[in-house]
Amino acid sequence: MVKEQVLTVSLEEFGLSKYEAQAYVALISKGTISASELSYYSEIPRTKVYPTLLKLENKKLVIISKSKPIMCTAISPEDAFDGLIHEQINKVNAMNTLVSNLKKASEESRKSRGSEEKRYFHISANKVLTQLQTMIEGSKSSIKIMTDQGGLGLLSECKEQLVGVIRRNLDVKLIIPTSQICSESYRAIPDGVEIKTSDVVQNCFIFDETELLMINNDNGKGAIFSSTEILGVNQEKVFSNIWKNSIKTKVVADMTKTEAHEIFKIIKIINESGLMYILNSTILSKKPELDMIKLLEKNGITLKTKSLDDVIEMIDAIIQITCSGHVNFEANTKNITIDSKLNSGHSLPWVSILDGYLQKQGYKTRTVFQNNSNKGEKVHIKISKN
């Protein structure tokens, strides 16, 4: 029964109707039988049997007797379908010729327009990790990555491959969202991968500046763009611009996730609104340092409950990240020195926060600013108790 059902479905694919296929299979199986028997074996309604036989006869698939009762016989498959097979072969050959001609016309059209076809390959979600590992291993000069939580999770499973390319001295750069700093996936990335943070909205892996792997954030599927010079160059430029304005994360690598996020939140607050806030507060209150502390408090950052050592440690990390400098506290003299390799006042917002904190704690401060155009800038905060 199962075999007959399979044959019936196959015949339908060759253009026979359901009843025609059922009738032919039954005749092949039973030999010469009457119309009423055919109705029984093929499960075709009696009223439909004769019209079905006539259609099969017209298609030269059965022979119907002129006697009564009507007897019917299937023509052998090799005779019945030989013509149909040749017809299908001719159709396929004609289609191949048509496709070749269309392809030739398309290529000539592209040449006349000065355009070139590029291809990309889809990757199912369950194959993306394997493909990513393969592409990392095959890299020859550089890997540049912009990724969100999902992409970072995949990358964290490529530790062995990343270690391999780092040993070959490849340039490996990674941009991640601030929310992923000091996460489990972040800590799984091996030393040697330079990591920065920015507001990343895509999963893009750039290999050797030309080959791209893009991953869909919604369904996890991927696409490979190979030898796409224009796309590769454009994505490389996008990455370079984001990288230039991104923030280093190495300084906070050994901190807890909470501590690291607090530091980057402070940096974000000051970068986005600190300058305007301090200018306004200078005009209105003449106490910008205290107002900077209020700005942080309005955004959920409270420093007054922290110890001096904790605040100095935080500002030191921020100065390292933003100014490539350091904060030094001399316990004996109660003096704090902020060194910045950048000049033009880059360290001043952080000095303002530290100075404001000290005043909130009841200290009297005096700030001395030194600027060296070649070596950066240095700020001394001299502390005394009120």
Side-chain angles (χ1 to χ4, degrees):
M1 179 64 72
V2 174
K3 184 177 180 181
E4 290 182 359
Q5 289 178 346
V6 172
L7 291 173
T8 299
V9 172
S10 298
L11 284 172
E12 288 180 55
E13 293 176 355
F14 269 90
L16 271 64
S17 69
K18 182 179 179 181
Y19 286 163
E20 290 170 353
Q22 289 176 206
Y24 186 80
V25 171
L27 289 172
I28 288 293
S29 175
K30 302 300 180 181
T32 301
I33 56 178
S34 66
S36 60
E37 288 175 319
L38 177 61
S39 174
Y40 173 78
Y41 289 121
S42 65
E43 299 181 354
I44 298 174
R46 294 179 66 87
T47 57
K48 301 291 185 182
V49 169
Y50 192 67
T52 300
L53 284 172
L54 289 177
K55 291 177 182 177
L56 289 173
E57 186 180 44
N58 289 334
K59 294 179 179 180
K60 298 181 180 180
L61 296 179
V62 302
I63 299 173
I64 304 174
S65 71
K66 303 300 181 181
S67 60
K68 291 187 179 181
I70 294 173
M71 304 298 290
C72 43
T73 305
I75 295 176
S76 64
E78 58 270 24
D79 292 332
F81 293 99
D82 184 62
L84 185 58
I85 289 172
H86 284 291
E87 181 182 345
Q88 295 295 328
I89 290 173
N90 290 335
K91 286 183 179 180
V92 171
N93 290 336
M95 183 59 73
N96 284 332
T97 301
L98 175 60
V99 171
S100 296
N101 290 336
L102 289 171
K103 184 178 178 181
K104 185 177 180 180
S106 176
E107 289 173 350
E108 290 175 354
S109 174
R110 284 196 300 271
K111 287 178 181 178
S112 67
R113 297 193 309 267
S115 62
E116 181 182 0
E117 180 183 12
K118 296 295 184 181
R119 298 179 181 273
Y120 66 94
F121 302 93
H122 289 287
I123 309 168
S124 60
N126 61 340
K127 298 292 185 181
V128 167
L129 175 59
T130 301
Q131 184 62 48
L132 177 58
Q133 291 172 335
T134 300
M135 295 180 81
I136 291 173
E137 286 180 334
S139 298
K140 296 178 175 58
S141 60
S142 67
I143 304 174
K144 297 177 181 179
I145 304 165
M146 296 178 282
T147 188
D148 63 6
Q149 180 178 356
L152 183 60
L154 284 173
L155 194 63
S156 68
E157 298 185 55
C158 303
K159 185 173 182 178
E160 182 179 342
Q161 290 76 23
L162 288 170
V163 169
V165 297
I166 290 168
R167 285 174 180 165
R168 291 193 276 121
N169 296 318
L170 263 68
D171 178 28
V172 185
K173 290 183 169 67
L174 170 62
I175 302 174
I176 62 172
T178 305
S179 62
Q180 294 307 301
I181 296 172
C182 294
S183 64
E184 289 185 16
S185 297
Y186 173 91
R187 297 192 189 283
I189 305 301
D191 292 339
V193 176
E194 193 174 355
I195 307 176
K196 286 188 173 185
T197 182
S198 180
D199 294 326
V200 179
V201 294
Q202 62 176 327
N203 284 316
C204 178
F205 300 75
I206 309 170
F207 301 92
D208 302 328
E209 300 184 2
T210 55
E211 195 167 29
L212 307 180
L213 171 62
M214 310 288 285
I215 300 175
N216 189 316
N217 294 326
D218 297 325
N219 57 27
K221 294 180 181 179
I224 297 175
F225 298 80
S226 217
S227 300
T228 49
E229 295 178 2
I230 295 175
L231 182 59
V233 169
N234 286 342
Q235 285 297 118
E236 178 75 15
K237 288 181 178 177
V238 170
F239 181 92
S240 296
N241 288 333
I242 296 176
W243 181 264
K244 181 179 179 181
N245 297 308
S246 296
I247 303 172
K248 299 176 183 178
T249 68
K250 186 176 181 180
V251 174
V252 301
D254 295 328
M255 295 182 180
T256 66
K257 189 174 182 179
T258 301
E259 291 171 339
H261 284 192
E262 188 173 38
I263 284 172
F264 282 102
K265 186 175 181 180
I266 292 173
I267 293 173
K268 184 176 182 181
I269 292 168
I270 300 304
N271 283 347
E272 290 181 353
S273 53
L275 178 59
M276 187 59 65
Y277 196 91
I278 196 170
L279 289 174
N280 289 338
S281 62
T282 300
I283 295 170
L284 297 174
S285 69
K286 307 299 183 182
K287 295 180 179 179
E289 295 81 10
L290 297 180
D291 284 331
M292 289 291 279
I293 298 298
K294 287 180 181 178
L295 172 62
L296 294 179
E297 289 176 348
K298 285 182 178 180
N299 288 274
I301 301 292
T302 302
L303 299 182
K304 62 183 179 181
T305 58
K306 298 182 182 294
S307 69
L308 177 58
D309 288 340
D310 288 340
V311 173
I312 288 175
E313 184 179 358
M314 289 178 65
I315 301 300
D316 178 56
I318 291 172
I319 290 291
Q320 288 185 60
I321 293 168
T322 61
C323 304
S324 300
H326 276 288
V327 177
N328 297 304
F329 176 52
E330 300 172 10
N332 294 333
T333 61
K334 299 294 184 183
N335 289 336
I336 299 174
T337 302
I338 298 93
D339 283 300
S340 169
K341 290 186 179 179
L342 303 177
N343 51 26
S344 302
H346 279 79
S347 64
L348 292 185
W350 319 116
V351 172
S352 178
I353 291 173
L354 184 54
D355 198 15
Y357 165 81
L358 291 167
Q359 292 184 40
K360 282 280 190 180
Q361 298 299 316
Y363 293 99
K364 183 179 179 181
T365 63
R366 185 167 63 90
T367 303
V368 179
F369 178 77
Q370 296 176 337
N371 185 33
N372 186 318
S373 59
N374 296 322
K375 296 182 179 179
E377 60 194 22
K378 182 178 291 188
V379 180
H380 302 279
I381 301 178
K382 298 185 181 296
I383 307 171
S384 60
K385 202 70 173 169
N386 282 335

